Amino acid sequence: MMAIEGYATIEGTRRYRERMVAAGIAHPEHFREGLGGLALSSVGLGTYLGGHDAGTDALYLASVEQAVAAGCNVLDSAINYRWQRSERVIGQALNEMVRDGAVRRDELLIATKGGFIPFDGTPPRDSYAYVLQTFVNPGIISSADVVADCHCMTPGYLRHQLNMSLTNLGLSCLDVYYLHNPETQLDAVSREEFMARMRKAFEMLEEAVSQGKLRLYGTATWNGYRSRPGSRGHLSLEALVGMAREVGGKEHHFKVIQLPYNLGMPEALAQQTQSLNGSTVSLLEAAKVLDVYVMSSASILQGQLSRGLPSDVTEVLGDGTDAQRAIQFVRSTPGMGTALVGMKQAEHVRDNLAVARRAPLTPEQFTKLFK
């Protein structure tokens, strides 16, 4: 399979938006302009959950195609999701859709992540022997580079993983590449050593941008940006953006982050976990000032928010299913870019992306949730 050339562009993503709006598939406000003017859907497709089997592959193939047809032009994955199978399914779907003229490469933002050590399709019988044979013996990593028996972010390893992701996805260039849960490293090394490792990773990623292998990079985290300052796993967005400026100059490419945010995990909005210019602010406030686009993971908390929402919440969030309401909450949050929703069933894609035909809540409507 030949690699698909190109990347998401302003012209391409706006073309996609205009086509979806003209067809009545999406409300104009379903799209927001971020990342240098790209028109990005307020709901994106996540590909984390599911088994490592052909049946799940087939489900995801249909889901990706359904999502793109239903107004979603943000696709998110990671090399370790389903042991590389999620990336490979996205690659298969992209190849088929581009070949058939259903979409153009420049209309879609494709994001993936590296950091966790992935198996290849299925878990091996002996994971230790697999890591030795695949990564250590060829000199890609050393045992000392690995923390928690599963995580590595040395430049050589990330370079290898980026190339593997490009192959899996069938692309010549990625739109976004995340360091995946880098706070994992803080369980094993000092903060000083952690920041030194992050600097080397940023240097490698800026180099990859200059080589045309990716356009932008960032961090996809679980606890890092939600943790209190001073806690062991805390990440400072201000410090990381400052490091990116030191490494890449004013035109650095650290421009997007991902973290869990939903009705049950509202810390990005509701808690002041970030320092900014000497003040303490929320993550979303810091990201706005620092010009960093925010994507939410776990927007319906892996299905836990798809039922049983309180009546006072549903009244504000409006008609639809509870899953749709939970998504509406995330995409309506001031400062939030794209709400990622894991969906491996085409019918769930159709149901959840029905919110694309509606405008997000107004700021006045949104504030009623907190009264």
Side-chain angles (χ1 to χ4, degrees):
M1 183 173 67
M2 292 288 291
I4 300 171
E5 297 292 329
Y7 46 82
T9 66
I10 294 173
E11 178 187 9
T13 55
R14 291 180 180 178
R15 182 195 316 120
Y16 177 87
R17 176 185 63 191
E18 290 163 8
R19 188 167 69 250
M20 294 295 113
V21 172
I25 293 171
H27 189 282
E29 292 181 40
H30 168 57
F31 294 91
R32 50 275 317 258
E33 293 194 354
L35 293 178
L38 299 178
L40 302 178
S41 55
S42 64
V43 181
L45 177 71
T47 57
Y48 170 56
L49 296 176
H52 45 83
D53 55 80
T56 306
D57 291 345
L59 291 175
Y60 266 121
L61 181 65
S63 289
V64 172
E65 294 174 347
Q66 176 67 40
V68 172
C72 169
N73 70 341
V74 177
L75 306 177
D76 181 82
S77 195
I79 196 166
N80 64 305
Y81 287 177
R82 301 175 52 250
W83 312 134
Q84 303 188 57
R85 299 178 81 117
S86 286
E87 284 189 337
R88 290 168 182 168
V89 166
I90 290 175
Q92 181 183 351
L94 291 173
N95 182 267
E96 293 179 4
M97 290 187 294
V98 171
R99 180 196 63 204
D100 296 342
V103 73
R104 299 188 202 177
R105 171 65 185 96
D106 66 353
E107 297 176 342
L108 304 177
L109 182 136
I110 314 299
T112 196
K113 314 174 189 74
F116 288 106
I117 296 174
F119 298 139
D120 189 356
T122 56
R125 289 186 177 180
D126 186 336
S127 59
Y128 180 73
Y130 166 82
V131 172
L132 281 178
Q133 181 180 355
T134 307
F135 298 107
V136 177
N137 293 343
I140 298 165
I141 62 174
S142 71
S143 298
D145 297 328
V146 180
V147 305
D149 295 325
C150 65
H151 196 273
C152 180
M153 59 181 201
T154 59
Y157 176 70
L158 291 174
R159 192 174 294 114
H160 175 272
Q161 293 292 276
L162 171 60
N163 290 333
M164 283 295 300
S165 288
L166 288 169
T167 298
N168 287 342
L169 291 160
L171 300 176
S172 66
C173 180
L174 269 165
D175 299 300
V176 172
Y177 192 77
Y178 295 106
L179 296 178
H180 198 178
N181 288 15
E183 66 267 34
T184 304
Q185 299 271 324
L186 284 165
D187 290 333
V189 303
S190 68
R191 187 163 294 274
E192 182 180 10
E193 172 61 20
F194 170 75
M195 293 302 284
R197 293 183 180 192
M198 291 294 284
R199 179 181 291 274
K200 290 179 180 178
F202 282 15
E203 289 170 351
M204 173 266 153
L205 292 167
E206 289 287 350
E207 177 185 274
V209 172
S210 68
Q211 294 169 341
K213 293 185 176 182
L214 65 98
R215 300 286 288 172
L216 303 167
Y217 64 92
T219 48
T221 69
W222 189 255
N223 290 322
Y225 293 122
R226 298 185 303 117
S227 299
R228 293 288 187 181
S231 63
R232 187 174 186 87
H234 174 72
L235 294 181
S236 166
L237 184 60
E238 183 180 41
L240 293 178
V241 170
M243 179 181 290
R245 289 197 190 105
E246 292 173 6
V247 170
K250 291 182 180 179
E251 302 302 317
H252 68 86
H253 298 87
F254 181 93
K255 290 294 180 182
V256 56
I257 60 172
Q258 187 182 129
L259 79 163
Y261 174 77
N262 53 59
L263 280 163
M265 303 170 71
E267 296 91 347
L269 172 72
Q271 293 188 11
Q272 295 181 326
T273 64
Q274 297 293 309
S275 294
L276 183 68
N277 300 323
S279 299
T280 304
V281 299
S282 71
L283 182 279
L284 289 172
E285 289 177 276
K288 181 178 180 180
V289 173
L290 295 167
D291 190 29
V292 173
Y293 191 82
V294 182
M295 298 203 193
S296 72
S297 59
S299 297
I300 58 174
L301 200 53
Q302 298 176 1
Q304 295 181 53
L305 297 172
S306 63
R307 64 192 72 85
L309 295 183
S311 59
D312 56 337
V313 172
T314 61
E315 183 178 348
V316 175
L317 293 174
D319 296 335
T321 66
D322 277 356
Q324 291 167 356
R325 294 184 180 110
I327 296 167
Q328 181 73 321
F329 167 79
V330 176
R331 72 195 281 260
S332 300
T333 300
M336 182 58 67
T338 296
L340 298 171
V341 184
M343 297 178 282
K344 66 177 183 290
Q345 302 276 358
E347 65 215 58
H348 291 162
V349 174
R350 283 191 294 271
D351 290 344
N352 292 336
L353 276 168
V355 302
R357 297 194 292 270
R358 299 164 53 191
L361 299 179
T362 65
E364 293 74 22
Q365 290 172 321
F366 187 81
T367 57
K368 291 179 181 179
L369 290 165
F370 300 92
K371 292 182 178 179

